[in-house]
Amino acid sequence: MASRRPAPTAAFRCTECGWTTAKWVGRCGECQQWGTVVEASAQTGITASVTPVTPTRSARPITQIDPRETPRRTSGVGEFDRVLGGGIVPGAAILLSGEPGVGKSTLLLEVAAQSARAGRRVLYVSAEESLSQVRLHAERTGALHDELYLASETDLATTLGHVDDVRPDLLIVDSVQTVSSSLIDGAAGQPSQVREVASTLIRVAKERDLPVVLVGHVTKDGQVAGPRILEHLVDVVCHFEGDRQTSLRFVRALKNRFGATDEVGCFDMAGDGITEVPDPSALFLSNRPSEPGTCVTVALEGRRALPVEVQALTLHTSAPNPRRIVSGVDGARVAMVLAVLEKRAGIKLSDQDVYVSTVGGVRLTEPAADLAIALAIASAATERPNPAKLAAIGELSLSGEIRRVTQHDQRRSEAARLGYRAVIDAGAGTLRDALAQRARHHAPRPDDRPDF
């Protein structure tokens, strides 16, 4: 009888999830991370047993801990403080990610300059640019101050030496993917290097109550590059986003241990730097009189209510497949709105090319804009403008019913603050009733035609 062949031993292990394999692969078959599979004999951070050690500081009841021991400090940029929950907490580790060229370095140079003007020493470590390049950037944006120290380093140990020498009140590292440690094999940016650099900087931040801001690269799909554990290690994860065709930029908190994650900071990117936009309402509205094919809705960006103008254009076509071109809105929802308009409101659009866009480059993804899109298309199809001070808020169902949306009262309050005297919402009932209500708000003219 032939002897059974012994099962192959696991010679390689993933340092992220512990997945094992008999041969080396570049990508883990379990967590799909690249460059994390090493020899099982290599150090993976997993030990058989741990010997208890007497703690140097005993545990205390949570009721005896004074929250005033870690007061928030303003960064000098109000919109950034809004996203962070009121300011920077001492010892906090903040990760700021964003696409290349969106303005991450410009924003952090402004934060560094404002903190320096407030009397706090800031160390800005650039691992991607030379000192002269950072100086030129800071000079162009007006971010020069004697308390702002610069260092161009890619080695982790040297960076820690700069921290000991300067003793800053705020540390900014740009970026965490370009700094490497000599204690870890591999080039900068690999998961093992990113994990080591981030964990070391976070440990220094906690030990010294030194807030640290790390700049993170993103992948093609917009995710933070490197191991997923990077987002778990830090206290706050912020994403800096914006369309390169417009100057508007948003900072969103994806994770925040010290505040809410539904706040959004608005900025305007100009040639001489970045400025705050505390009231961005006027950015998404056109200044021209009301014309056919326009309607205003109130969208939510985090906790902030923003009025956004939706524009529509319809053109008669003899093509068998009319064109449906959208910009700033969801094409699938526009197609659904067109079907509801034709079926429930009797507006024929099957022989029309339809173009729908937003003003200011903002993108509407929530269903609360359905009613405004429908009224804009109906206005364009009938060549009758909506009233100038009319706003529409509501989600459309396939039956033509208008449904109430989240934060409805806040949206109406923002519309009233901006002078919109009439608001069409779920109280209208159906789309057909909303079109009739729109006609009642409209000042009649002798040559007026019916809505549909």
Side-chain angles (χ1 to χ4, degrees):
M1 182 176 179
S3 60
R4 179 176 300 176
R5 179 178 300 178
T9 58
F12 297 89
R13 181 189 301 272
C14 175
T15 58
E16 290 292 322
C17 64
W19 177 73
T20 58
T21 179
K23 61 180 181 179
W24 182 86
V25 291
R27 187 176 188 179
C28 174
E30 181 69 22
C31 63
Q32 303 300 316
Q33 292 289 335
W34 289 94
T36 59
V37 179
V38 299
E39 293 186 18
S41 58
Q43 181 67 28
T44 62
I46 302 175
T47 56
S49 61
V50 178
T51 303
V53 177
T54 303
T56 57
R57 293 178 296 179
S58 59
R60 293 187 296 168
I62 191 172
T63 55
Q64 297 181 8
I65 298 176
D66 188 1
R68 291 174 294 180
E69 296 178 358
T70 56
R72 295 180 184 270
R73 300 185 310 207
T74 176
S75 65
V77 181
E79 290 296 299
F80 193 54
D81 289 341
R82 173 198 289 267
V83 178
L84 297 180
I88 300 177
V89 177
I94 304 170
L95 177 65
L96 179 65
S97 64
E99 295 183 357
V102 73
K104 300 184 297 297
S105 300
T106 303
L107 173 62
L108 292 183
L109 275 176
E110 180 66 19
V111 171
Q114 293 294 342
S115 298
R117 295 187 185 106
R120 303 186 187 94
R121 183 168 295 181
V122 182
L123 175 60
Y124 190 100
V125 179
S126 176
E128 300 179 350
E129 299 177 278
S130 63
L131 296 180
S132 59
Q133 290 174 326
V134 179
R135 161 67 195 233
L136 288 174
H137 192 177
E139 186 174 3
R140 177 176 59 86
T141 59
L144 299 178
H145 198 276
D146 292 338
E147 287 298 314
L148 174 55
Y149 288 74
L150 298 180
S152 180
E153 295 293 343
T154 58
D155 181 67
L156 178 61
T158 309
T159 299
L160 297 179
H162 283 295
V163 173
D164 292 335
D165 184 34
V166 177
R167 296 187 178 277
D169 298 314
L170 174 64
L171 173 63
I172 300 175
V173 179
D174 186 7
S175 63
V176 68
Q177 278 87 4
T178 53
V179 179
S180 61
S181 173
S182 59
L183 302 178
I184 302 297
D185 295 332
Q190 291 190 351
S192 57
Q193 284 284 1
V194 173
R195 183 172 56 251
E196 176 66 19
V197 171
S199 59
T200 301
L201 292 176
I202 293 173
R203 176 177 53 81
V204 172
K206 304 302 181 184
E207 291 176 351
R208 308 186 184 188
D209 281 341
L210 170 65
V212 177
V213 181
L214 306 176
V215 177
H217 294 169
V218 296
T219 59
K220 291 181 179 180
D221 56 354
Q223 300 295 325
V224 180
R228 195 72 176 181
I229 195 174
L230 175 62
E231 301 178 51
H232 292 283
L233 290 174
V234 298
D235 301 310
V236 183
V237 178
C238 296
H239 186 66
F240 199 31
E241 63 184 28
D243 189 354
R244 293 188 180 183
Q245 307 301 324
T246 63
S247 60
L248 188 65
R249 300 290 188 270
F250 290 109
V251 176
R252 305 175 188 273
L254 305 181
K255 169 189 175 181
N256 192 353
R257 290 173 177 165
F258 313 118
T261 58
D262 53 0
E263 285 288 2
V264 177
C266 297
F267 298 88
D268 184 57
M269 183 69 69
D272 56 350
I274 190 169
T275 57
E276 302 177 59
V277 185
D279 189 8
S281 299
L283 297 177
F284 311 120
L285 300 175
S286 63
N287 297 322
R288 301 185 62 183
S290 180
E291 296 183 356
T294 63
C295 187
V296 174
T297 187
V298 181
L300 279 184
E301 289 288 345
R303 293 184 181 180
R304 176 171 288 171
L306 302 176
V308 180
E309 182 174 311
V310 180
Q311 297 181 342
L313 176 66
T314 60
L315 293 173
H316 180 76
T317 180
S318 58
N321 296 317
R323 305 182 68 183
R324 305 291 189 249
I325 307 300
V326 300
S327 176
V329 294
D330 187 7
R333 298 204 69 87
V334 171
M336 184 198 73
V337 170
L338 292 175
V340 175
L341 275 170
E342 183 154 353
K343 181 68 174 179
R344 307 301 179 187
I347 300 178
K348 187 177 181 181
L349 298 167
S350 57
D351 59 349
Q352 301 279 330
D353 289 336
V354 179
Y355 304 83
V356 181
S357 179
T358 56
V359 173
V362 68
R363 180 166 181 81
L364 296 176
T365 57
E366 56 179 349
D370 289 353
L371 183 57
I373 295 174
L375 294 185
I377 296 174
S379 172
T382 59
E383 297 185 0
R384 180 175 180 176
N386 291 312
K389 292 301 181 179
L390 174 70
I393 307 169
E395 177 186 359
L396 279 181
S397 67
L398 295 180
S399 63
E401 177 191 0
I402 303 176
R403 296 179 177 175
R404 187 181 176 91
V405 296
T406 60
Q407 302 295 329
H408 179 265
D409 295 338
Q410 182 182 356
R411 298 175 197 258
R412 288 189 64 102
S413 299
E414 179 67 13
R417 185 183 71 85
L418 296 173
Y420 288 92
R421 296 183 294 270
V423 177
I424 300 179
D425 51 17
T430 64
L431 177 59
R432 183 177 290 271
D433 295 333
L435 292 172
Q437 185 175 344
R438 179 199 67 163
R440 289 194 297 271
H441 288 296
H442 192 279
R445 298 195 310 264
D447 59 343
D448 273 347
R449 289 178 290 178
D451 288 318
F452 46 87

